[in-house]
Amino acid sequence: MTRGWMIVLVGVVAMGTLLVLFCCSLYRMAIHRSRKAFLSADPNMPKVEDSRIREVKEWFHAQSFEKAEIVSDDGLKLRAHYLEPEQGGRDAVILAHGYSGKGEDMAVFARFYRERGFIVLMPDSRGHGRSDGHYIGFGWHDRKDYVRWIEYLVKRLGEQARIVLHGVSMGGGTVLMTGGEPLPPQVKCIISDCAYTSVKGILTYQLKQMFKLPSFPLLPITSLICKLRAGYFFGEASAIRQLRNCCKPILLIHGGKDTFVPTKMADELYEAIRGEKEKLIIPEAQHGTSVLVDPASYAESVLRFIQASFGKQTQNA
């Protein structure tokens, strides 16, 4: 081999090594369990008033939550907050939180449902909060965890239980992916707020939006690293694909000014749903803020959808 070709070869190897190292850093930043400091600097993430956050946190800490625990298919201990309404009953909601969050982040929805007579279950997804796990599943492995949580509620509440799945952001993707699994008749409907179409789709979008980087070859290499370390390729984790197998009624909610998970993804998801479906777009809402921007429309749409899915009049407090 000539000196010139040796230099070229060394250069190619060096570039390839740098590329792999960069993709490893992308994996650690996006998938590995860690504090996601970059989110606080993202202009596409809305800022919520401190007074609203404080009010919801005060309500949450004033409740007598019971701690619930299950074991996942792959042996992780998963933990949740469980809260019953004062008057009892067997209507329940399982809430799915967003990326890098935890169950208690869904407190505004927990209060909404409990005031309407629902039992509330607020899991910490794998790799989040008090649950085990070293990676973020983006809803893919989580879908089987939520099937386990459904089984937990059915066992606890009995065959007459009526269960709603309600998720926001990554949690919205999680409940849609869960909907593609075989679910018991106790699950009556799914409410998905500002969900993405697929992990590949949202990461492609975020690479361009946040870092001005192309998806190729960064995403395929990072996906391979994810498969080796977390057990899934990005291409596997598709809400669009899972919806082909879903037979539960679905309500999609999205903010019209959402630039973190683009609103057009709601349209793509809506087109993929083969069964009963509804869509609510809150025009002025950013990512995950629909319930705060227009609480009246949000509540009316959610309660009406649940009423239709349950087949009875749900109490509207």
Side-chain angles (χ1 to χ4, degrees), residues 178-225:
T178 303
E181 299 299 304
L183 298 179
Q186 286 80 15
V187 177
K188 301 301 181 182
C189 62
I190 297 170
I191 300 170
S192 174
D193 187 337
C194 59
Y196 43 76
T197 53
S198 66
V199 172
K200 182 179 179 180
I202 192 60
L203 292 182
T204 297
Y205 174 82
Q206 290 296 347
L207 272 175
K208 181 178 180 180
Q209 188 79 1
M210 295 178 64
F211 305 109
K212 313 304 180 187
L213 293 173
S215 61
F216 185 85
L218 300 178
L219 215 57
I221 297 173
T222 309
S223 179
L224 177 59
I225 295 169

Side-chain angles (χ1 to χ4, degrees), residues 83 85 91-93 113-114 116-120 164 306 310 314:
L83 183 65
D91 292 347
V93 62
Y113 279 105
R114 186 173 189 262
R116 288 155 178 84
F118 281 76
I119 294 162
V120 175
V164 177
I306 292 174
F310 278 12
T314 299

Side-chain angles (χ1 to χ4, degrees), residues 47-105:
K47 303 296 184 287
V48 181
E49 295 177 17
D50 289 341
S51 59
R52 293 190 179 186
I53 296 175
R54 184 168 57 251
E55 177 191 0
V56 172
K57 284 186 174 180
E58 288 174 355
W59 176 89
F60 177 84
H61 290 296
Q63 307 308 307
S64 300
F65 282 101
E66 177 184 333
K67 293 181 179 179
E69 184 177 298
I70 61 171
V71 178
S72 69
D73 291 344
D74 52 350
L76 299 179
K77 287 186 177 180
L78 306 175
R79 299 171 176 91
H81 290 90
Y82 176 92
L83 183 65
E84 293 187 348
E86 295 179 2
Q87 64 271 37
R90 295 187 179 182
D91 292 347
V93 62
I94 303 178
L95 299 172
H97 65 78
Y99 178 76
S100 81
K102 52 188 178 296
E104 66 181 78
D105 294 342

